[in-house]
Amino acid sequence: MGQQYTGTPVAALRRIAFLLERGRADSYKVKAYRKAAAAILPLGEDEVRRRAGAGTLAELPGVGASTAQVIAQAVRGEVPERLAAVEAEHGGPLTADGAGTALRARLRGDLHSHSDWSDGGSPIEEMAMTAIELGHDYLVLTDHSPRLKVARGLSAERLARQLDVVAAVNEHLGGHLDGHPDETGFRLLRGIEVDILDDGSLDQSEEMLARLDVRVASVHSKLAMEREALTRRMVAAVRNPFTNVLGHCTGRLVTGARGTRPESRFDARAVFEACAEEGVAVEINSRPERRDPPTRLLELARDIGCLFSIDSDAHAPGQLDYPLLGCERAEAAGIDAERIVNTWPAERLLEWATP
């Protein structure tokens, strides 16, 4: 018999999915666990136990042989073998010697996350529930804008429909249709990761941008654009009154399945001075494959007087844990927590983000 397990089968399945996502596993490897959790969630404890005893769990739509084994072991009070394996591989501390934990404790939320409406791997409500479990006061949903077709960017019409879903999720979580629950409640905030177009304009209508709470503006195309042209492009976007956060500013990739990509070349001083003047936060992107901006640019933005936002850029619930990595970098750079906008309570954040 394995080690004693006191959680529910649903909790075991969701924990496996969370840890696999934290380790940046392919989404198809994760979905089986979330599907199985959804399949048994409506069933009573007695029915799950009966099926486990009869060996009929795999007859349920969404439950396969491997997920059935997880459920059966959890029902018997054993730590599921698969759960033990992923805990060993992905469940340890993200940083050494507690680095970043003091600052992470001060973060109130996350301003950059994706759902399965664009290129994320999970539904909006799963992202929100995980954010709550991680202790967030708020999470900004920032799916991509139309031009990023490879990421299923949202047209104005799809974005409008998504805002209705955000309102419904907030209502379900105890909030109101305007997305502003009571003082102690969690808030799922309306946002976008909007493409910075070649001329520096933003890839969404002003009408839709005005309906959002927070807007992250990022360069996703022509990253190798000539230095002066890219600088003009980025400065124009920063000076747009709707821009709140400059996302992953260099576009670099330092590791990961997509390989590496060099930094874009632009006048960082000019861009960061524009950020400081306009009150736009420079994102400290916490994804392990990005670590953007590089340390020298992070320190330059610090010295110029920029605000910052430490974000997960999560494309799956388990990746909402990533801000600790950004906190480690911010602490090492000596950035005052008060200059990090997502240490602020929601009302102050929303006041800052209003054009």
Side-chain angles (χ1 to χ4, degrees), residues 9-349:
V10 169
L13 292 163
R14 291 187 72 239
R15 178 64 177 171
I16 291 168
F18 177 89
L19 290 169
L20 287 171
E21 290 161 349
R22 195 177 189 244
R24 292 180 292 155
D26 291 334
S27 61
Y28 76 89
K29 295 180 179 178
V30 180
K31 284 182 178 177
Y33 296 97
R34 294 204 181 277
K35 280 185 179 178
I40 66 170
L41 186 60
L43 305 180
E45 182 182 335
D46 290 343
E47 174 65 7
V48 173
R49 186 174 297 278
R50 185 190 69 77
R51 284 185 171 272
T56 62
L57 285 166
E59 294 177 4
L60 291 168
V63 178
S66 60
T67 52
Q69 182 182 33
V70 171
I71 297 166
Q73 289 173 336
V75 164
R76 293 196 299 267
E78 303 170 14
V79 175
E81 293 173 12
R82 183 62 174 142
L83 176 58
V86 294
E87 285 282 7
E89 186 174 3
H90 302 301
L94 289 173
T95 61
D97 301 322
T101 53
L103 179 55
R104 173 65 187 86
R106 297 189 60 175
L107 294 190
R108 301 291 192 95
D110 191 333
L111 307 192
H112 188 169
S113 68
H114 299 273
S115 76
D116 59 3
W117 280 61
S118 65
D119 61 342
S122 287
I124 293 169
E125 56 271 27
E126 185 70 36
M127 297 295 290
M129 289 302 298
T130 301
I132 292 170
E133 290 165 359
L134 291 172
H136 289 21
D137 292 343
Y138 50 82
L139 174 70
V140 185
L141 179 63
T142 55
D143 279 321
H144 289 285
S145 61
R147 189 168 83 163
L148 207 61
K149 290 183 170 57
V150 69
R152 298 176 60 240
L154 274 62
S155 64
E157 293 75 20
R158 287 184 68 214
L159 179 57
R161 292 200 301 273
Q162 185 183 78
L163 298 188
D164 291 338
V165 174
V166 170
V169 169
N170 275 319
E171 186 175 30
H172 177 70
L173 294 173
H176 305 289
L177 288 177
D178 64 359
H180 292 70
D182 64 61
E183 208 170 285
T184 60
F186 170 84
R187 304 185 188 193
L188 180 63
L189 298 178
R190 303 163 295 191
I192 190 171
E193 184 180 15
V194 61
D195 244 32
I196 298 174
L197 301 177
D198 296 1
D199 63 356
S201 60
L202 302 183
D203 181 37
Q204 188 50 271
S205 69
E206 289 195 357
E207 178 188 359
M208 289 309 302
L209 291 172
R211 293 181 62 186
L212 303 176
D213 296 309
V214 177
R215 307 141 201 95
V216 177
S218 305
V219 173
H220 287 107
S221 62
K222 298 186 180 178
L223 293 168
M225 180 182 275
E226 183 267 332
R227 184 176 187 271
E228 285 71 22
L230 183 56
T231 301
R232 288 194 298 272
R233 178 183 177 187
M234 295 175 72
V235 168
V238 165
R239 295 201 185 281
N240 188 304
F242 286 109
T243 299
N244 303 125
V245 179
L246 177 62
H248 49 67
C249 63
T250 76
R252 74 173 186 170
L253 294 173
V254 296
T255 186
R258 290 185 289 172
T260 60
R261 183 168 63 209
E263 301 170 24
S264 296
R265 297 174 60 249
F266 58 92
D267 183 341
R269 179 170 290 278
V271 170
F272 293 156
E273 285 177 349
C275 287
E277 290 167 12
E278 302 294 337
V280 169
V282 174
E283 179 181 69
I284 302 176
N285 190 290
S286 302
R287 294 193 67 85
E289 70 269 33
R290 286 195 180 275
R291 292 179 58 85
D292 203 358
T295 299
R296 73 183 193 287
L297 296 187
L298 181 60
E299 293 173 347
L300 176 64
R302 174 202 64 196
D303 294 345
I304 286 172
C306 293
L307 295 172
F308 295 92
S309 177
I310 299 177
D311 297 326
S312 66
D313 193 358
H315 286 65
Q319 296 171 5
L320 288 168
D321 225 7
Y322 286 167
L324 178 62
L325 298 171
C327 289
E328 177 186 33
R329 300 191 66 221
E331 280 187 356
I335 295 171
D336 189 331
E338 186 60 22
R339 289 170 59 182
I340 299 166
V341 297
N342 50 325
T343 65
W344 299 349
E347 292 303 337
R348 181 181 176 188
L349 179 85

